[in-house]
């Protein structure tokens, strides 16, 4: 089955710096790659996603890039703020139909700490 | 628009007991998925329901089961609880139009097994 590796497991940055989290996936049939942010005591919140027909997507300070050939995708956060501190998860899915219904394969998570 | 609602938020059980967790999806969402989150194994897929039918299942023992009602609300049940079942159980809902894959999670039910 699908396997998603996420690095680093912890990341500490100063406010205003950029943060980059990287993930690799094993199943070339995966075509949907969301990123989730989980704050303490809360459920994961979808922050951005990308599909396999797109190489890059931006939403204000957050961007995601996808390299299908290398089977890796990355989350980039610019101008980090203390409220960005949380656990970030990448995930992969085959998206439409078949055995993929409802199933996301998650990376192990990255604890991001932004110091004021 | 209300989000995914899970009840109870916290519960404590002892080994051998059973537990039922409830999930109300976002209004209009017909697909409900369940995940188990633990520090050691991370987020793992349990099962997915759509129109009262289980369409997908993860690699969990038969002690883990679920169901979905006609109003899309879902429950999951764990029987004969083991210490290792202590976890945050997350429910996620989806519009499931062409199964785009977007899942919206609830706050979870934190189960502690003593």
């Amino acid at each position: 089955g699908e396997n998603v590796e996420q690095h680093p497991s912890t990341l500490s940055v100063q406010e205003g710096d950029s943060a980059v989290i990287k993930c690799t996936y094993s199943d070339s049939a995966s075509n949907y790659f969301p990123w989730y942010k989980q704050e303490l005591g809360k459920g994961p919140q979808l922050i951005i996603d990308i599909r396999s027909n797109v190489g890059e997507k931006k939403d204000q300070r957050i961007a995601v890039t996808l390299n299908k050939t290398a089977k890796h995708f990355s989350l980039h956060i610019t101008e980090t703020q203390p409220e960005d501190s949380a656990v970030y998860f990448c995930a992969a899915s085959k998206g439409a139909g078949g055995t993929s219904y409802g199933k996301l394969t998650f990376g192990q998570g990255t604890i991001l700490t932004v110091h004021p | 628009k209300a989000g995914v609602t899970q009840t109870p938020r916290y519960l404590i059980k002892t080994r051998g007991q059973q537990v039922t967790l409830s999930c109300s999806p976002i209004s209009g969402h017909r697909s409900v998925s369940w995940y188990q989150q633990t520090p050691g194994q991370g987020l793992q897929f349990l099962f997915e329901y759509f129109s009262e039918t289980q369409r997908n299942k993860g690699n969990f023992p038969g002690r883990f089961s679920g169901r979905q009602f006609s109003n899309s609300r879902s429950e999951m049940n764990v029987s004969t609880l083991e210490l290792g079942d202590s976890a945050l159980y997350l429910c996620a809902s989806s519009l499931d139009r062409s199964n785009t894959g977007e899942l919206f999670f609830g706050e979870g039910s934190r189960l502690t097994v003593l």
Side-chain angles (χ1 to χ4, degrees):
Chain A
E2 173 70 281
N3 184 52
V4 177
E5 297 285 336
Q6 182 173 346
H7 299 280
S9 56
T10 60
L11 180 58
S12 182
V13 301
Q14 289 297 126
E15 183 177 0
D17 288 349
S18 294
V20 180
I21 303 171
K22 298 182 179 182
C23 290
T24 59
Y25 61 98
S26 61
D27 192 340
S28 56
S30 291
N31 56 18
Y32 174 65
F33 307 92
W35 286 87
Y36 285 85
K37 174 184 181 183
Q38 187 173 25
E39 297 176 331
L40 200 59
K42 297 189 175 183
Q45 178 188 8
L46 179 68
I47 56 171
I48 195 167
D49 56 13
I50 192 167
R51 300 184 190 279
S52 58
N53 58 347
V54 175
E56 183 176 0
K57 183 177 179 181
K58 281 186 180 180
D59 183 3
Q60 298 182 341
R61 296 185 297 109
I62 295 174
V64 57
T65 59
L66 171 65
N67 183 326
K68 285 190 296 182
T69 303
K71 290 191 281 188
H72 67 70
F73 56 112
S74 301
L75 176 71
H76 303 252
I77 305 174
T78 59
E79 300 173 24
T80 54
Q81 301 167 3
E83 50 265 39
D84 293 330
S85 296
V87 182
Y88 290 80
F89 292 95
C90 63
S93 147
K94 294 177 187 176
T99 59
S100 69
Y101 289 119
K103 181 177 181 180
L104 292 173
T105 300
F106 284 87
Q108 287 298 308
T110 296
I111 301 172
L112 174 64
T113 304
V114 181
H115 299 282
Chain B
K1 194 173 188 180
V4 176
T5 303
Q6 293 188 244
T7 57
R9 289 291 314 279
Y10 303 91
L11 65 166
I12 301 173
K13 295 285 187 179
T14 57
R15 280 180 298 174
Q17 288 187 310
Q18 72 165 10
V19 65
T20 299
L21 309 177
S22 179
C23 172
S24 293
I26 292 171
S27 178
H29 285 195
R30 298 171 64 192
S31 168
V32 174
S33 303
W34 289 88
Y35 285 77
Q36 181 195 65
Q37 185 175 24
T38 60
Q41 299 298 317
L43 282 148
Q44 293 187 293
F45 173 74
L46 280 157
F47 27 65
E48 187 264 1
Y49 287 87
F50 179 82
S51 291
E52 303 177 65
T53 300
Q54 185 183 90
R55 294 193 300 187
N56 202 1
K57 188 177 187 303
N59 297 323
F60 279 82
R63 300 185 298 106
F64 292 81
S65 63
R67 60 177 175 168
Q68 186 181 35
F69 303 95
S70 58
N71 60 359
S72 294
R73 191 177 69 85
S74 177
E75 289 181 348
M76 68 163 284
N77 184 77
V78 187
S79 62
T80 319
L81 284 167
E82 300 176 0
L83 295 178
D85 297 333
S86 294
L88 181 66
Y89 290 89
L90 292 159
C91 168
S93 74
S94 169
L95 270 173
D96 195 59
R97 284 178 193 164
S98 71
N99 194 27
T100 56
E102 295 178 63
L103 299 184
F104 299 90
F105 284 86
E107 306 274 75
S109 292
R110 183 164 296 281
L111 170 65
T112 301
V113 182
L114 302 176

